Amino acid sequence: MFTGTLWPTRTAALRYPVQGVDVSAYQGTIDWDVLAAEDIDFAWIKATEGSGYQDPRFADNWAGAHATDLLVGAYHFLSVDSPGADQAANVVDTVPRNRGDLPVVIDVECYAEYCAAPPDAAAVREVLDPLLEAVEQHYGRPAVLYATRDWYERYLSDGYAENPIWFRSVATSPTLVDGRDWTFWQWSARERLDGYDGDEQLIDMNAFDGGRADLDELLLP
């Protein structure tokens, strides 16, 4: 498991025929033709974080991924330290609105001091709710919500029915506490694929709960 050659969720995850990756600047320069040939269908690319950060590799990754046959989308890392409207402006200013792209993802997970001392649910929703509203209004689709198990249970459970859930569960098959179905499953954070040369040698793998035609139904209009 440490080297990425054995991952407990792989057998279950690979029963889903539609697979994809998510990447950021940590993967360095990506040869998208090579990566796209690794039996994947989609890629999400880190674009923004909070109200002022843009991933330094986003523009290159966005262009490179769109030059392949992959379905492509962007993700934003939620901060609870800046207003949702400001974070939405950062997303809109950074991520083009292209018909046929995957919906924008809002990544809801702990960071910095909030891993040891999670914020109140009200404080998270005060930021998250206006961000989701602005993203949906601009891109024409509800954002996908990515969450770890802990933060899903704290902040998303029993809510956000219109937003597809991308759930991280790298040790077991995903089960959401509220009984809701997941749409995307991040089943590994330690895969090794060809096509990138960053300091981070591993890459995240994700399964989609459906066929390619089902995924097409989620694309931006």
Short mmCIF file of all heavy atoms in Angstrom, two decimals, residues 15-61:
data_model
loop_
_atom_site.label_atom_id
_atom_site.label_comp_id
_atom_site.label_asym_id
_atom_site.label_seq_id
_atom_site.Cartn_x
_atom_site.Cartn_y
_atom_site.Cartn_z
N ARG A 15 -14.36 -2.17 -11.11
CA ARG A 15 -15.61 -2.68 -11.67
C ARG A 15 -16.40 -1.58 -12.36
O ARG A 15 -17.30 -1.86 -13.15
CB ARG A 15 -16.45 -3.32 -10.58
CG ARG A 15 -15.84 -4.57 -9.95
CD ARG A 15 -16.86 -5.32 -9.10
NE ARG A 15 -16.25 -6.48 -8.44
CZ ARG A 15 -16.00 -6.55 -7.14
NH1 ARG A 15 -16.31 -5.53 -6.35
NH2 ARG A 15 -15.46 -7.64 -6.62
N TYR A 16 -16.06 -0.34 -12.03
CA TYR A 16 -16.72 0.80 -12.67
C TYR A 16 -15.92 1.16 -13.93
O TYR A 16 -14.73 1.46 -13.84
CB TYR A 16 -16.79 1.99 -11.71
CG TYR A 16 -17.63 1.70 -10.49
CD1 TYR A 16 -17.06 1.17 -9.33
CD2 TYR A 16 -19.00 1.93 -10.51
CE1 TYR A 16 -17.83 0.89 -8.22
CE2 TYR A 16 -19.78 1.64 -9.39
CZ TYR A 16 -19.19 1.12 -8.25
OH TYR A 16 -19.97 0.83 -7.16
N PRO A 17 -16.54 1.15 -15.08
CA PRO A 17 -15.78 1.28 -16.33
C PRO A 17 -15.26 2.69 -16.61
O PRO A 17 -14.31 2.84 -17.38
CB PRO A 17 -16.79 0.86 -17.41
CG PRO A 17 -18.13 1.16 -16.81
CD PRO A 17 -17.98 0.88 -15.35
N VAL A 18 -15.86 3.71 -16.01
CA VAL A 18 -15.46 5.09 -16.28
C VAL A 18 -14.54 5.55 -15.16
O VAL A 18 -14.96 5.68 -14.00
CB VAL A 18 -16.68 6.01 -16.42
CG1 VAL A 18 -16.23 7.45 -16.68
CG2 VAL A 18 -17.60 5.53 -17.54
N GLN A 19 -13.29 5.81 -15.51
CA GLN A 19 -12.26 6.16 -14.53
C GLN A 19 -11.63 7.50 -14.89
O GLN A 19 -11.60 7.90 -16.06
CB GLN A 19 -11.17 5.08 -14.50
CG GLN A 19 -11.66 3.71 -14.08
CD GLN A 19 -11.82 3.57 -12.59
OE1 GLN A 19 -11.05 4.14 -11.80
NE2 GLN A 19 -12.83 2.82 -12.17
N GLY A 20 -11.10 8.18 -13.88
CA GLY A 20 -10.44 9.45 -14.15
C GLY A 20 -9.42 9.80 -13.08
O GLY A 20 -9.27 9.11 -12.07
N VAL A 21 -8.72 10.89 -13.31
CA VAL A 21 -7.69 11.38 -12.39
C VAL A 21 -8.04 12.80 -11.96
O VAL A 21 -8.85 13.48 -12.57
CB VAL A 21 -6.30 11.38 -13.06
CG1 VAL A 21 -5.87 9.96 -13.41
CG2 VAL A 21 -6.26 12.29 -14.28
N ASP A 22 -7.40 13.22 -10.88
CA ASP A 22 -7.38 14.65 -10.56
C ASP A 22 -5.93 15.05 -10.31
O ASP A 22 -5.15 14.28 -9.76
CB ASP A 22 -8.28 14.99 -9.37
CG ASP A 22 -7.92 14.23 -8.10
OD1 ASP A 22 -8.39 13.09 -7.93
OD2 ASP A 22 -7.18 14.79 -7.26
N VAL A 23 -5.58 16.26 -10.76
CA VAL A 23 -4.18 16.69 -10.75
C VAL A 23 -4.08 18.14 -10.29
O VAL A 23 -5.06 18.88 -10.29
CB VAL A 23 -3.54 16.56 -12.15
CG1 VAL A 23 -3.62 15.13 -12.66
CG2 VAL A 23 -4.19 17.52 -13.15
N SER A 24 -2.88 18.49 -9.91
CA SER A 24 -2.57 19.87 -9.54
C SER A 24 -1.12 20.14 -9.91
O SER A 24 -0.46 19.32 -10.56
CB SER A 24 -2.78 20.08 -8.04
OG SER A 24 -1.79 19.39 -7.29
N ALA A 25 -0.61 21.26 -9.47
CA ALA A 25 0.78 21.61 -9.76
C ALA A 25 1.75 20.57 -9.20
O ALA A 25 2.88 20.46 -9.69
CB ALA A 25 1.10 22.98 -9.20
N TYR A 26 1.34 19.81 -8.20
CA TYR A 26 2.23 18.81 -7.61
C TYR A 26 2.65 17.74 -8.61
O TYR A 26 3.70 17.11 -8.44
CB TYR A 26 1.57 18.16 -6.40
CG TYR A 26 1.42 19.08 -5.22
CD1 TYR A 26 0.17 19.44 -4.74
CD2 TYR A 26 2.54 19.60 -4.58
CE1 TYR A 26 0.03 20.29 -3.65
CE2 TYR A 26 2.42 20.45 -3.48
CZ TYR A 26 1.16 20.79 -3.02
OH TYR A 26 1.03 21.64 -1.97
N GLN A 27 1.84 17.51 -9.64
CA GLN A 27 2.23 16.53 -10.67
C GLN A 27 3.20 17.12 -11.69
O GLN A 27 3.62 16.41 -12.60
CB GLN A 27 0.99 15.98 -11.38
CG GLN A 27 0.34 14.80 -10.67
CD GLN A 27 -0.40 15.20 -9.42
OE1 GLN A 27 -1.10 16.21 -9.38
NE2 GLN A 27 -0.28 14.39 -8.37
N GLY A 28 3.54 18.39 -11.56
CA GLY A 28 4.52 19.00 -12.45
C GLY A 28 4.01 19.14 -13.87
O GLY A 28 2.82 19.33 -14.11
N THR A 29 4.93 19.06 -14.81
CA THR A 29 4.58 19.15 -16.23
C THR A 29 3.94 17.83 -16.66
O THR A 29 4.53 16.76 -16.46
CB THR A 29 5.82 19.43 -17.08
OG1 THR A 29 6.41 20.66 -16.65
CG2 THR A 29 5.44 19.55 -18.55
N ILE A 30 2.74 17.92 -17.24
CA ILE A 30 2.02 16.72 -17.64
C ILE A 30 2.03 16.61 -19.17
O ILE A 30 1.71 17.57 -19.87
CB ILE A 30 0.57 16.77 -17.13
CG1 ILE A 30 0.57 16.77 -15.59
CG2 ILE A 30 -0.23 15.58 -17.67
CD1 ILE A 30 -0.82 16.89 -14.99
N ASP A 31 2.41 15.44 -19.67
CA ASP A 31 2.24 15.12 -21.08
C ASP A 31 0.84 14.53 -21.21
O ASP A 31 0.62 13.34 -20.94
CB ASP A 31 3.30 14.12 -21.53
CG ASP A 31 3.24 13.84 -23.03
OD1 ASP A 31 2.13 13.86 -23.60
OD2 ASP A 31 4.29 13.58 -23.63
N TRP A 32 -0.10 15.35 -21.61
CA TRP A 32 -1.50 14.95 -21.58
C TRP A 32 -1.81 13.85 -22.59
O TRP A 32 -2.72 13.04 -22.37
CB TRP A 32 -2.40 16.16 -21.76
CG TRP A 32 -2.53 16.92 -20.46
CD1 TRP A 32 -1.84 18.02 -20.08
CD2 TRP A 32 -3.37 16.56 -19.36
NE1 TRP A 32 -2.20 18.39 -18.80
CE2 TRP A 32 -3.14 17.51 -18.34
CE3 TRP A 32 -4.29 15.54 -19.13
CZ2 TRP A 32 -3.81 17.47 -17.12
CZ3 TRP A 32 -4.96 15.49 -17.91
CH2 TRP A 32 -4.72 16.45 -16.93
N ASP A 33 -1.10 13.79 -23.69
CA ASP A 33 -1.32 12.69 -24.63
C ASP A 33 -0.96 11.35 -23.98
O ASP A 33 -1.67 10.35 -24.16
CB ASP A 33 -0.50 12.89 -25.90
CG ASP A 33 -1.03 14.03 -26.76
OD1 ASP A 33 -2.26 14.23 -26.77
OD2 ASP A 33 -0.22 14.71 -27.41
N VAL A 34 0.12 11.33 -23.23
CA VAL A 34 0.54 10.10 -22.56
C VAL A 34 -0.43 9.76 -21.45
O VAL A 34 -0.89 8.61 -21.32
CB VAL A 34 1.97 10.26 -22.01
CG1 VAL A 34 2.35 9.05 -21.14
CG2 VAL A 34 2.96 10.41 -23.15
N LEU A 35 -0.78 10.74 -20.61
CA LEU A 35 -1.68 10.46 -19.50
C LEU A 35 -3.06 10.03 -19.99
O LEU A 35 -3.67 9.11 -19.43
CB LEU A 35 -1.79 11.70 -18.60
CG LEU A 35 -2.61 11.52 -17.32
CD1 LEU A 35 -2.02 10.41 -16.44
CD2 LEU A 35 -2.68 12.83 -16.54
N ALA A 36 -3.54 10.66 -21.04
CA ALA A 36 -4.87 10.33 -21.56
C ALA A 36 -4.94 8.91 -22.11
O ALA A 36 -6.03 8.34 -22.22
CB ALA A 36 -5.27 11.33 -22.64
N ALA A 37 -3.79 8.35 -22.45
CA ALA A 37 -3.75 6.99 -22.97
C ALA A 37 -3.74 5.94 -21.88
O ALA A 37 -3.69 4.73 -22.16
CB ALA A 37 -2.52 6.81 -23.87
N GLU A 38 -3.80 6.36 -20.61
CA GLU A 38 -3.71 5.45 -19.47
C GLU A 38 -5.09 4.88 -19.09
O GLU A 38 -5.38 4.70 -17.90
CB GLU A 38 -3.09 6.17 -18.28
CG GLU A 38 -1.64 6.53 -18.47
CD GLU A 38 -0.73 5.33 -18.19
OE1 GLU A 38 -1.05 4.50 -17.34
OE2 GLU A 38 0.31 5.25 -18.85
N ASP A 39 -5.94 4.66 -20.06
CA ASP A 39 -7.26 4.03 -19.82
C ASP A 39 -8.09 4.85 -18.85
O ASP A 39 -8.71 4.32 -17.91
CB ASP A 39 -7.09 2.59 -19.32
CG ASP A 39 -8.36 1.77 -19.51
OD1 ASP A 39 -9.17 2.14 -20.39
OD2 ASP A 39 -8.56 0.78 -18.79
N ILE A 40 -8.11 6.17 -19.05
CA ILE A 40 -8.95 7.06 -18.25
C ILE A 40 -9.88 7.83 -19.19
O ILE A 40 -9.61 7.96 -20.38
CB ILE A 40 -8.11 8.04 -17.40
CG1 ILE A 40 -7.20 8.90 -18.27
CG2 ILE A 40 -7.33 7.28 -16.33
CD1 ILE A 40 -6.47 9.98 -17.49
N ASP A 41 -10.97 8.32 -18.61
CA ASP A 41 -11.99 9.02 -19.37
C ASP A 41 -12.08 10.50 -19.03
O ASP A 41 -12.59 11.28 -19.84
CB ASP A 41 -13.36 8.38 -19.12
CG ASP A 41 -13.42 6.94 -19.55
OD1 ASP A 41 -13.62 6.69 -20.75
OD2 ASP A 41 -13.23 6.05 -18.68
N PHE A 42 -11.66 10.87 -17.83
CA PHE A 42 -11.84 12.25 -17.42
C PHE A 42 -10.70 12.71 -16.51
O PHE A 42 -9.96 11.89 -15.95
CB PHE A 42 -13.20 12.45 -16.72
CG PHE A 42 -13.36 11.71 -15.42
CD1 PHE A 42 -12.98 12.28 -14.22
CD2 PHE A 42 -13.92 10.43 -15.39
CE1 PHE A 42 -13.15 11.60 -13.01
CE2 PHE A 42 -14.09 9.74 -14.20
CZ PHE A 42 -13.71 10.33 -13.01
N ALA A 43 -10.60 14.03 -16.40
CA ALA A 43 -9.58 14.63 -15.52
C ALA A 43 -10.13 15.91 -14.92
O ALA A 43 -10.70 16.74 -15.63
CB ALA A 43 -8.30 14.93 -16.30
N TRP A 44 -9.96 16.04 -13.61
CA TRP A 44 -10.23 17.30 -12.94
C TRP A 44 -8.90 17.94 -12.58
O TRP A 44 -7.97 17.28 -12.11
CB TRP A 44 -11.05 17.09 -11.68
CG TRP A 44 -12.52 17.34 -11.90
CD1 TRP A 44 -13.09 18.47 -12.41
CD2 TRP A 44 -13.60 16.44 -11.61
NE1 TRP A 44 -14.46 18.32 -12.46
CE2 TRP A 44 -14.79 17.09 -11.98
CE3 TRP A 44 -13.67 15.16 -11.08
CZ2 TRP A 44 -16.04 16.51 -11.82
CZ3 TRP A 44 -14.90 14.58 -10.92
CH2 TRP A 44 -16.07 15.25 -11.30
N ILE A 45 -8.83 19.25 -12.80
CA ILE A 45 -7.60 20.00 -12.67
C ILE A 45 -7.77 21.08 -11.60
O ILE A 45 -8.75 21.84 -11.64
CB ILE A 45 -7.23 20.66 -14.01
CG1 ILE A 45 -7.02 19.57 -15.08
CG2 ILE A 45 -5.98 21.53 -13.88
CD1 ILE A 45 -6.98 20.12 -16.49
N LYS A 46 -6.84 21.16 -10.67
CA LYS A 46 -6.95 22.20 -9.65
C LYS A 46 -6.80 23.55 -10.30
O LYS A 46 -5.85 23.81 -11.05
CB LYS A 46 -5.90 22.04 -8.56
CG LYS A 46 -6.09 23.09 -7.45
CD LYS A 46 -5.24 22.86 -6.23
CE LYS A 46 -5.57 23.89 -5.15
NZ LYS A 46 -4.77 23.69 -3.93
N ALA A 47 -7.74 24.44 -9.98
CA ALA A 47 -7.73 25.79 -10.54
C ALA A 47 -7.44 26.83 -9.47
O ALA A 47 -6.57 27.69 -9.65
CB ALA A 47 -9.08 26.09 -11.20
N THR A 48 -8.18 26.76 -8.37
CA THR A 48 -8.18 27.87 -7.42
C THR A 48 -8.29 27.37 -5.99
O THR A 48 -8.67 26.22 -5.75
CB THR A 48 -9.36 28.83 -7.71
OG1 THR A 48 -10.56 28.06 -7.85
CG2 THR A 48 -9.12 29.63 -8.97
N GLU A 49 -8.00 28.29 -5.08
CA GLU A 49 -8.14 28.01 -3.66
C GLU A 49 -8.46 29.34 -2.97
O GLU A 49 -7.80 30.35 -3.22
CB GLU A 49 -6.86 27.40 -3.10
CG GLU A 49 -6.92 27.00 -1.66
CD GLU A 49 -5.70 26.21 -1.21
OE1 GLU A 49 -5.07 25.53 -2.05
OE2 GLU A 49 -5.38 26.27 -0.01
N GLY A 50 -9.48 29.33 -2.12
CA GLY A 50 -9.84 30.56 -1.44
C GLY A 50 -10.20 31.66 -2.41
O GLY A 50 -10.70 31.43 -3.51
N SER A 51 -9.92 32.89 -2.01
CA SER A 51 -10.31 34.05 -2.82
C SER A 51 -9.19 34.61 -3.68
O SER A 51 -9.44 35.47 -4.53
CB SER A 51 -10.84 35.16 -1.91
OG SER A 51 -9.84 35.56 -0.98
N GLY A 52 -7.94 34.12 -3.50
CA GLY A 52 -6.86 34.76 -4.23
C GLY A 52 -5.82 33.85 -4.86
O GLY A 52 -4.93 34.33 -5.56
N TYR A 53 -5.93 32.53 -4.66
CA TYR A 53 -4.89 31.62 -5.16
C TYR A 53 -5.35 30.96 -6.45
O TYR A 53 -6.49 30.50 -6.56
CB TYR A 53 -4.58 30.55 -4.12
CG TYR A 53 -3.58 29.51 -4.59
CD1 TYR A 53 -2.21 29.76 -4.50
CD2 TYR A 53 -4.00 28.30 -5.13
CE1 TYR A 53 -1.28 28.81 -4.93
CE2 TYR A 53 -3.08 27.35 -5.56
CZ TYR A 53 -1.73 27.62 -5.46
OH TYR A 53 -0.82 26.68 -5.90
N GLN A 54 -4.41 30.92 -7.42
CA GLN A 54 -4.62 30.16 -8.66
C GLN A 54 -3.47 29.17 -8.79
O GLN A 54 -2.30 29.53 -8.63
CB GLN A 54 -4.66 31.08 -9.89
CG GLN A 54 -5.79 32.09 -9.89
CD GLN A 54 -5.42 33.35 -9.14
OE1 GLN A 54 -4.29 33.84 -9.23
NE2 GLN A 54 -6.36 33.90 -8.37
N ASP A 55 -3.81 27.92 -9.08
CA ASP A 55 -2.77 26.90 -9.26
C ASP A 55 -1.86 27.31 -10.41
O ASP A 55 -2.33 27.62 -11.52
CB ASP A 55 -3.42 25.55 -9.57
CG ASP A 55 -2.43 24.41 -9.59
OD1 ASP A 55 -1.67 24.31 -10.59
OD2 ASP A 55 -2.40 23.62 -8.64
N PRO A 56 -0.54 27.33 -10.21
CA PRO A 56 0.37 27.83 -11.25
C PRO A 56 0.41 26.97 -12.51
O PRO A 56 0.86 27.44 -13.55
CB PRO A 56 1.73 27.85 -10.55
CG PRO A 56 1.60 26.90 -9.41
CD PRO A 56 0.18 27.00 -8.96
N ARG A 57 -0.05 25.74 -12.44
CA ARG A 57 -0.06 24.88 -13.62
C ARG A 57 -1.44 24.80 -14.28
O ARG A 57 -1.61 24.07 -15.26
CB ARG A 57 0.38 23.45 -13.23
CG ARG A 57 1.80 23.32 -12.72
CD ARG A 57 2.84 23.56 -13.79
NE ARG A 57 2.58 22.78 -14.99
CZ ARG A 57 3.19 22.99 -16.15
NH1 ARG A 57 4.08 23.96 -16.28
NH2 ARG A 57 2.91 22.24 -17.19
N PHE A 58 -2.41 25.55 -13.75
CA PHE A 58 -3.77 25.37 -14.24
C PHE A 58 -3.90 25.67 -15.73
O PHE A 58 -4.47 24.87 -16.49
CB PHE A 58 -4.77 26.24 -13.47
CG PHE A 58 -6.16 26.17 -14.06
CD1 PHE A 58 -6.91 25.01 -13.94
CD2 PHE A 58 -6.68 27.24 -14.77
CE1 PHE A 58 -8.18 24.93 -14.50
CE2 PHE A 58 -7.95 27.17 -15.34
CZ PHE A 58 -8.70 26.00 -15.20
N ALA A 59 -3.42 26.80 -16.19
CA ALA A 59 -3.61 27.18 -17.59
C ALA A 59 -2.99 26.15 -18.53
O ALA A 59 -3.62 25.76 -19.53
CB ALA A 59 -3.02 28.57 -17.85
N ASP A 60 -1.78 25.69 -18.22
CA ASP A 60 -1.13 24.70 -19.08
C ASP A 60 -1.89 23.37 -19.04
O ASP A 60 -2.08 22.72 -20.07
CB ASP A 60 0.32 24.49 -18.65
CG ASP A 60 1.21 25.66 -19.02
OD1 ASP A 60 0.83 26.46 -19.91
OD2 ASP A 60 2.30 25.80 -18.42
N ASN A 61 -2.29 22.96 -17.83
CA ASN A 61 -3.03 21.70 -17.72
C ASN A 61 -4.38 21.78 -18.42
O ASN A 61 -4.82 20.83 -19.07
CB ASN A 61 -3.22 21.33 -16.25
CG ASN A 61 -1.97 20.75 -15.63
OD1 ASN A 61 -1.13 20.16 -16.32
ND2 ASN A 61 -1.83 20.91 -14.33
#
